[in-house]
Amino acid sequence: MEVGVRASTERNYQDGTRCEFMDGEVIFKEGEPGERAFMIEQGGVEIYLETNEQDVPMARRGPGEVFGEMALIDGGSRSASARAIGTCELISITRGQLAERIHLLDPVLRMCMLVMLDRFRATLKSVEAAEASADSRACHSCVDTTDGTHDDYTEAVDRIKLERELIAAVHANQFKLHYQPVIDLQSQRIAGFEALIRWQHPERGAVPPGAFISVAESSGVIVEMSHWALRQACEFLSRLMSRQSRCDSGYGLFVAVNVSGADVTQGAFADTILAIAGEAGLAASNVKLEITESVVLAQPELAARSLSTLKDAGFSVAIDDFGTGYSSLSYLYRYPFDTLKIDRSFVRGVLESAKMNRLVQSIVALARGLELDVVAEGVETPGQHQMLVDLGCGYAQGFLYARPMPECDVESGCESWRESFATQFQAIS
Ligand code: C2E
Ligand code: CA
Ligand code: CA
């Protein structure tokens, strides 16, 4: 039997799009380089071995199942051929979609996975040699790719589908940004806005960021999304400032955009942001980047260099959700932050527990000592507001002042905040 790389049957696939095969059409052939795996949306697929005499069927796959994944994972060639049974619709899963995940795996786990694949390929070869012309049904179980638990499998398939939808959503303009004011507690003016992404899904309705940001991050789609968000947010602020809107206190506003690890560790990140802010007519000082500690955990050195370049260019950098996760104090020393955002779980406890109150007090003092601005997140009650003022916290953000709003509601939202806030503030001070 011929082994080695054969002429490719592969089409010119578009990443993340569907492709259709007619009954009997060959999807890939044994020995070819495996550039992608496939998920079956509709129809079926037969996996088979070619021998000199006849093709030996090995397995059948149906809707929701994945095939062709081995070559994608270990970079080897196809160990069997595949053809369509009936008209069949497939979604391709590219090497790029898997590469980052495999890279992030624990090295021991990665080694075990590659060893398993290697043994599996060897088994396939011996099966092929021994049973090339025999009844092949006995082999079916040895190419069953669904050996994980059903839940794991379903979760993996859902993630692949979600990734595909996210890529399409970026191009179909299904994302929107909402803006939540950040209040200067001393002057009681709006200091800026945090941009928060929203996904208006055509079937599922509004999908909150918590349901898709991690998938966007692990698939790499986040980079495109972040560029989009940065551009939108800068243009929003530019429009707001040029209207000399009622939100603009004349002290210079900022817009804060959440960015991820994949953004920060991109070589040209600082240049890209400079260009986006410049095109929108904003100075770097109008733009704040919010990152969580997970951003710096993966590639600490690269992140430090990238953030320093941004800081030198005049952008502000905030550490988000401070107090959750590891929150190593050395981050405050190693990275050029100028703002620290206290997570809302601390703000919630500021009136409920004396210990939490002292903790927040200490974080504020620590930030002051390091000349960092402090923003308290998730302020929901006048009592929390007053306590944060008393503790010397500089800035705050939360439903008490305003919820995240679409651009069209920002000015009226800020106006009604000002009116209701003045009344509330007088009532509690
Ligand atoms: P985050 O950066 O900590 O954003 C603050 C979250 O708290 C937002 O949730 C906001 O709506 C919510 N929030 C604000 N004030 C209050 C309050 O008083 N009470 C309560 N209970 N919640 C409040 P959201 O919009 O669902 O965003 C969740 C997370 O998703 C964000 O947390 C951020 O980590 C991420 N995210 C949002 N937009 C983006 C984006 O454009 N890019 C990236 N990479 N991540 C984003
Ligand atoms: Ca944030
Ligand atoms: Ca936060």
Side-chain angles (χ1 to χ4, degrees):
M1 218 205 91
E2 186 191 334
V3 202
V5 178
R6 299 182 185 178
S8 175
T9 56
E10 292 219 333
R11 302 172 173 197
N12 190 14
Y13 294 101
Q14 294 263 313
D15 286 352
T17 54
R18 283 193 177 82
C19 41
E20 195 178 88
F21 287 84
M22 307 314 286
D23 187 31
E25 197 178 344
V26 174
I27 300 162
F28 55 72
K29 287 198 142 231
E30 185 184 345
E32 284 178 359
E35 291 302 324
R36 52 185 37 79
F38 297 92
M39 191 171 73
I40 305 173
E41 281 258 293
Q42 268 184 46
V45 166
E46 182 181 63
I47 313 290
Y48 63 97
L49 291 176
E50 292 179 58
T51 70
N52 287 337
E53 279 130 46
Q54 64 184 97
D55 293 344
V56 181
M58 302 285 288
R60 284 186 174 219
R61 303 271 173 255
E65 288 192 85
V66 172
F67 68 99
E69 74 291 347
M70 277 192 346
L72 199 60
I73 293 172
D74 67 3
S77 52
R78 300 285 191 200
S79 57
S81 305
R83 68 179 150 228
I85 307 169
T87 306
C88 151
E89 263 190 33
L90 307 176
I91 296 172
S92 81
I93 303 168
T94 60
R95 191 179 291 281
Q97 281 176 296
L98 276 195
E100 182 66 7
R101 288 184 172 87
I102 294 174
H103 174 73
L104 291 175
L105 276 183
D106 178 281
V108 177
L109 210 58
R110 192 164 57 226
M111 183 197 71
C112 289
M113 193 176 75
L114 293 175
V115 167
M116 272 163 54
L117 278 181
D118 201 39
R119 291 200 180 131
F120 189 59
R121 282 181 181 281
T123 310
L124 267 184
K125 277 218 172 73
S126 58
V127 167
E128 193 179 345
E131 305 199 23
S133 56
D135 181 354
S136 62
R137 267 166 295 178
C139 305
H140 286 186
S141 62
C142 69
V143 284
D144 187 359
T145 54
T146 60
D147 61 342
T149 66
H150 184 69
D151 285 352
D152 284 353
Y153 185 75
T154 312
E155 194 187 324
V157 168
D158 285 349
R159 275 184 85 94
I160 294 289
K161 280 189 172 168
L162 185 56
E163 267 177 31
R164 199 179 141 268
E165 287 183 331
L166 282 173
I167 296 168
V170 173
H171 298 287
N173 273 328
Q174 288 169 5
F175 293 109
K176 297 271 170 297
L177 286 185
H178 282 193
Y179 301 95
Q180 186 178 35
V182 177
I183 311 299
D184 179 335
L185 290 176
Q186 273 233 305
S187 65
Q188 296 172 44
R189 291 190 168 104
I190 291 171
F193 295 85
E194 178 175 4
L196 294 155
I197 201 162
R198 301 287 177 260
W199 182 9
Q200 197 56 41
H201 191 282
E203 284 135 34
R204 281 187 269 158
V207 184
F212 63 87
I213 289 291
S214 66
V215 177
E217 283 172 341
S218 60
S219 65
V221 184
I222 195 73
V223 173
E224 207 172 335
M225 281 170 63
S226 299
H227 286 177
W228 174 87
L230 277 158
R231 185 163 284 114
Q232 294 290 317
C234 288
E235 287 170 2
F236 153 78
L237 190 65
S238 175
R239 280 191 292 273
L240 197 70
M241 296 201 323
S242 67
R243 280 202 299 271
Q244 294 194 318
S245 99
R246 285 166 291 174
C247 311
D248 188 351
S249 52
Y251 287 78
L253 291 167
F254 68 78
V255 66
V257 181
N258 293 282
V259 293
S260 299
D263 300 311
V264 174
T265 50
Q266 268 205 324
F269 186 56
D271 291 341
T272 308
I273 301 192
L274 259 176
I276 290 175
E279 279 162 26
L282 292 186
S285 58
N286 295 121
V287 183
K288 202 184 274 272
L289 301 165
E290 296 199 359
I291 65 162
T292 58
E293 64 183 23
S294 64
V295 168
V296 294
L297 274 177
Q299 298 195 59
E301 300 306 327
L302 199 52
R305 276 202 299 277
S306 182
L307 292 177
S308 295
T309 312
L310 284 165
K311 191 71 200 298
D312 292 345
F315 294 96
S316 313
V317 185
I319 174 111
D320 207 350
D321 303 343
F322 188 80
T324 60
Y326 297 103
S327 290
S328 162
L329 289 181
S330 70
Y331 295 150
L332 298 180
Y333 166 74
R334 280 182 72 185
Y335 297 96
F337 298 122
D338 41 46
T339 305
L340 182 157
K341 296 191 80 172
I342 303 179
D343 188 67
R344 71 167 178 269
S345 53
F346 291 88
V347 172
R348 210 180 299 134
V350 84
L351 289 178
E352 290 164 9
S353 140
K355 218 169 175 180
M356 193 62 104
N357 189 297
R358 281 197 295 276
L359 201 58
V360 172
Q361 199 172 352
S362 309
I363 297 175
V364 171
L366 175 76
R368 270 214 182 141
L370 296 171
E371 298 181 341
L372 302 175
D373 287 334
V374 187
V375 181
E377 295 189 293
V379 181
E380 293 182 349
T381 68
Q384 289 169 349
H385 163 86
Q386 189 58 54
M387 180 53 74
L388 290 162
V389 172
D390 294 346
L391 293 179
C393 181
Y395 299 86
Q397 186 181 347
F399 294 168
L400 173 69
Y401 315 109
R403 286 181 180 258
M405 312 167 263
E407 179 173 355
C408 58
D409 293 344
V410 162
E411 291 198 55
S412 59
C414 291
E415 189 64 20
S416 65
W417 161 69
R418 223 185 295 275
E419 283 160 13
S420 70
F421 187 77
T423 326
Q424 282 183 15
F425 190 75
Q426 276 158 17
I428 57 175
S429 51

